[in-house]
Amino acid sequence: MKLLKYLEKIDITCCCLLISSMIFPLMGFGLYFRNEDAQYVIWLDKDHNIFNAFNLNANYASITYRPVSELGMRIVYSFFGSNPLAFQVASGISFIAAIFFLYKIVMLLFNRTTAFLVILTFYLGFYKIIHFLYTPIQGFQYSFDLFLATGSIFYAMKGLKDGKFNYYYAISILLMISAIFSHPVCSFFLPIINIVLLIINWRKLENIHINKKILIVAFFITLLLATKIVTKQGVDIFNKSIVDAITFLLNGYIGYGNIFLNSRLNLILIPFPLVYGLTHFIIKKYFFSSKGHSIFIYSSIGAIIGCIIANIVSKEIAFIILSVLLLIIATTDRYKFFLTVWFFSSLLPSILSTEATGVYARHSAFALSFTVGIIYGEIISEILSLIQNKFRRAVNLFSLNAIAFSLTLFILSISSLAKFNILHIPFVSSQLEQLNYVKDISCNFQDVLIFLAEKINKNEHVYFLKDFKLDKENLYTQNHVERLRPAGINHYPSYLKMHNRDDLIVESVDNLNQIYGNQKIIVATNSWEAEYLESRYTLNIWKVFRRGKAIAKIYRY
């Protein structure tokens, strides 16, 4: 009987969303280390003492001080060593925890339907941003700080909900400080968000003495000003002229338009609710005082026109227009204002960086999904109210729990069918095929490293092709996948060093005729590099590594 009562309290919708969240890290399991992971392995191998995470002289050679994420890495390494799967599991758990906190944040303000739509929006529109789950060590810190940041926001909102400075808020401060010292992105936006939350809930804090209010605000302002101590990342815009600084910031911001509007789906998914929300607000305020068919119809027409415009103009202009819409919508409701601040403030450190990268947009993606999901919830409520009693009985047959359960079952089914090539499913199959290709590339690279470590003589030269310019954020498009490398050219020496061959001399070339000496060992990490080399030079193939459609080759020249 007690078990039944306990089961009745379980939120089936939340459980279904968390189960769905497992799909993303599961798809990445099986990859070998990628990007700069080898440097992390070498660093951890030399010193994985957990307590040294906070030692300024023992931290990873990074441009920022990240003791909390380093602590997480050291703990995983202490128990599991250099096992990629261990870091991927830790990363996956952190991501699922972040989704859980996002769900709880929405539930504090709205309801389960809105929470469901918010996370569904994130999955539909921003799944490419979470590709960091597929980089074992380097990616771990990103999902870890996502978990810490969302946890901090949830407990801050929960602590301020009743106007009491209670232990929930103390947990929020602890998680915020942990997030700031986990990744520098958090040092920018979390203090700002907490200040906004304090302002929004200011009247509820009447039971707190005025001196305590001053101390609270001073604490967050201090954290904000202390950002320069926490991070050196990005460009010091204060050393630029006003025009150059504005140009730099604007170019950096517009650069993220390609990340958020990276597909035709996003050019409908994002503009439609934002334009709908704006037109609905204007029509209701200036033309109709009550809800009705006219408001819904005109708002929908405006949203459709907005989507058409977003698809006609360039992504850069569309992103600027959408940003203006967000700012206007922020004036309609205090929590929409809060979400808009969340979006822009979490994107700020990315704009200050010299290179646009989707992984830095993860916090902004959560905030944008939140805003878009809320408006989709309003649209659905409007539709249901217009249906009225005629179809209400039929609508009631479909509970949210049933929809969440059915959708989760459907997602798991089609993912399994596509994963094992039982059935070709449009879009899903192609995405999984490309991800498998990335896995195969990384595993081929592991085989190459093992072979080179065992077979070649001491102090030999190993050559790789120089990096070719690629659209780093156009992830998993065919052109990008074909030319994708397991790591940057500057990381290759670390990978060989990880296999105890730091005696080897690793160089990059774009012309093999520039190489001098009798024995020349050249490595092609993918099929594109192999075709490029073989079309220009007469090479002797020493070893071929093939997994699926991925190929890696070692040549003698």
Side-chain angles (χ1 to χ4, degrees):
M1 201 68 179
K2 289 183 178 180
L3 180 61
L4 289 174
K5 287 183 178 180
Y6 178 76
L7 291 173
E8 286 175 1
K9 295 180 180 179
I10 295 176
D11 189 337
I12 302 300
T13 303
C14 180
C15 290
C16 290
L17 288 170
L18 294 179
I19 292 169
S20 301
S21 304
M22 294 179 188
I23 294 171
F24 294 98
L26 281 171
M27 288 193 300
F29 288 171
L31 267 78
Y32 182 61
F33 293 120
R34 298 178 64 224
N35 300 327
E36 64 180 87
D37 280 354
Q39 290 177 283
Y40 281 104
V41 170
I42 293 168
W43 162 66
L44 287 167
D45 189 52
K46 286 182 178 178
D47 176 24
H48 52 269
N49 188 318
I50 293 173
F51 299 103
N52 274 346
F54 298 92
N55 185 341
L56 282 169
N57 298 318
N59 67 314
Y60 176 70
S62 175
I63 53 177
T64 56
Y65 181 52
R66 308 176 186 180
V68 175
S69 62
E70 287 185 9
L71 178 64
M73 292 180 211
R74 288 171 183 268
I75 290 172
V76 175
Y77 191 87
S78 295
F79 283 98
F80 302 101
S82 57
N83 185 343
L85 184 60
F87 288 94
Q88 288 173 318
V89 169
S91 181
I93 292 171
S94 299
F95 172 71
I96 293 165
I99 292 294
F100 172 76
F101 278 124
L102 179 62
Y103 180 85
K104 299 297 284 185
I105 291 168
V106 186
M107 285 288 287
L108 280 176
L109 301 178
F110 299 97
N111 50 49
R112 288 191 304 129
T113 304
T114 304
F116 181 75
L117 291 170
V118 167
I119 295 174
L120 188 62
T121 300
F122 177 78
Y123 288 160
L124 288 173
F126 305 110
Y127 66 95
K128 290 185 180 179
I129 288 175
I130 62 172
H131 69 263
F132 59 80
L133 289 171
Y134 310 138
T135 303
I137 300 183
Q138 189 185 14
F140 165 71
Q141 61 184 318
Y142 297 129
S143 54
F144 190 53
D145 97 287
L146 195 62
F147 146 66
L148 292 172
T150 50
S152 172
I153 295 169
F154 167 70
Y155 282 111
M157 295 177 73
K158 192 173 178 65
L160 293 170
K161 188 177 181 182
D162 300 322
K164 296 178 181 178
F165 191 75
N166 52 25
Y167 70 94
Y168 287 122
Y169 205 75
I171 294 172
S172 169
I173 292 173
L174 179 63
L175 288 173
M176 181 178 69
I177 294 172
S178 299
I180 287 172
F181 286 100
S182 176
H183 199 277
V185 169
C186 296
S187 63
F188 287 79
F189 82 96
L190 280 180
I192 295 173
I193 283 179
N194 275 273
I195 290 170
V196 170
L197 284 173
L198 282 169
I199 293 170
I200 289 174
N201 293 280
W202 197 252
R203 290 184 180 179
K204 292 181 181 179
L205 300 176
E206 292 177 355
N207 59 335
I208 298 180
H209 193 270
I210 186 65
N211 291 336
K212 290 183 179 179
K213 290 181 181 179
I214 293 170
L215 284 173
I216 293 167
V217 176
F219 173 75
F220 290 115
I221 291 174
T222 303
L223 280 178
L224 194 61
L225 295 175
T227 297
K228 194 171 180 66
I229 301 171
V230 176
T231 176
K232 304 173 192 174
Q233 187 163 323
V235 174
D236 188 356
I237 59 171
F238 296 104
N239 289 332
K240 294 178 176 285
S241 67
I242 294 176
V243 174
D244 289 341
I246 292 172
T247 303
F248 177 81
L249 291 172
L250 187 61
N251 288 337
Y253 181 73
I254 291 174
Y256 279 86
N258 288 320
I259 295 171
F260 287 104
L261 303 176
N262 58 17
S263 67
R264 290 293 177 189
L265 174 63
N266 282 30
L267 285 168
I268 297 172
L269 185 74
I270 300 172
F272 187 87
L274 294 184
V275 178
Y276 179 92
L278 178 64
T279 52
H280 191 276
F281 169 72
I282 292 171
I283 292 168
K284 187 176 178 181
K285 186 172 183 178
Y286 297 105
F287 296 97
F288 302 101
S289 58
S290 61
K291 292 183 178 181
H293 293 74
S294 300
I295 298 177
F296 177 74
I297 292 169
Y298 290 136
S299 299
S300 299
I301 292 171
I304 292 169
I305 293 170
C307 286
I308 293 170
I309 293 171
N311 279 271
I312 291 174
V313 301
S314 67
K315 288 182 181 179
E316 290 81 4
I317 294 173
F319 193 52
I320 290 173
I321 293 172
L322 293 176
S323 301
V324 173
L325 288 179
L326 276 171
L327 291 170
I328 296 172
I329 289 172
T331 63
T332 64
D333 179 84
R334 61 177 183 166
Y335 281 111
K336 286 176 184 172
F337 168 73
F338 159 68
L339 292 172
T340 303
V341 171
W342 184 349
F343 176 80
F344 285 106
S345 61
S346 57
L347 202 57
L348 177 63
S350 308
I351 297 167
L352 290 170
S353 181
T354 54
E355 182 180 4
T357 172
V359 71
Y360 284 170
R362 59 197 181 278
H363 297 287
S364 293
F366 266 20
L368 187 56
S369 299
F370 203 152
T371 306
V372 171
I374 290 168
I375 301 174
Y376 273 122
E378 293 173 357
I379 294 171
I380 290 173
S381 297
E382 196 76 31
I383 293 170
L384 291 176
S385 66
L386 291 174
I387 291 174
Q388 296 178 344
N389 294 327
K390 190 173 182 181
F391 300 103
R392 190 174 295 280
R393 186 173 296 176
V395 171
N396 288 338
L397 292 174
F398 300 95
S399 68
L400 182 61
N401 280 341
I403 292 170
F405 180 79
S406 302
L407 189 59
T408 301
L409 190 62
F410 175 73
I411 292 170
L412 290 171
S413 299
I414 63 171
S415 299
S416 300
L417 291 171
K419 173 70 177 174
F420 296 105
N421 298 317
I422 297 171
L423 185 66
H424 182 81
I425 300 166
F427 183 73
V428 177
S429 294
S430 60
Q431 294 296 318
L432 286 173
E433 184 180 350
Q434 290 170 357
L435 181 57
N436 286 331
Y437 183 74
V438 174
K439 281 187 184 181
D440 292 337
I441 286 173
S442 106
C443 291
N444 276 343
F445 183 56
Q446 181 183 21
D447 293 340
V448 166
L449 294 170
I450 293 170
F451 181 84
L452 290 174
E454 293 177 351
K455 299 295 182 183
I456 61 178
N457 299 323
K458 191 174 181 180
N459 298 322
E460 283 205 63
H461 284 69
V462 180
Y463 296 93
F464 293 86
L465 282 175
K466 278 187 177 178
D467 286 330
F468 292 88
K469 293 292 181 183
L470 295 172
D471 181 4
K472 292 190 176 182
E473 291 315 321
N474 203 13
L475 194 71
Y476 298 153
T477 59
Q478 194 57 43
N479 182 55
H480 181 91
V481 170
E482 287 177 354
R483 299 173 66 176
L484 191 66
R485 291 179 167 184
I489 189 66
N490 56 313
H491 299 310
Y492 288 144
S494 299
Y495 278 94
L496 285 165
K497 188 176 181 180
M498 190 173 74
H499 286 269
N500 299 315
R501 290 306 305 267
D502 52 342
D503 61 289
L504 298 177
I505 301 166
V506 180
E507 297 184 40
S508 60
V509 291
D510 52 11
N511 185 351
L512 299 190
N513 294 326
Q514 297 173 347
I515 303 173
Y516 301 99
N518 297 324
Q519 177 78 343
K520 304 170 187 177
I521 299 170
I522 303 102
V523 179
T525 61
N526 58 44
S527 56
W528 187 89
E529 290 181 9
E531 290 173 8
Y532 177 86
L533 288 168
E534 290 173 13
S535 65
R536 286 165 174 76
Y537 308 99
T538 303
L539 303 169
N540 296 316
I541 298 174
W542 186 11
K543 185 73 175 177
V544 178
F545 305 89
R546 186 189 299 271
R547 289 174 185 260
K549 295 181 179 179
I551 295 175
K553 293 184 179 181
I554 301 177
Y555 303 96
R556 284 195 178 101
Y557 176 64

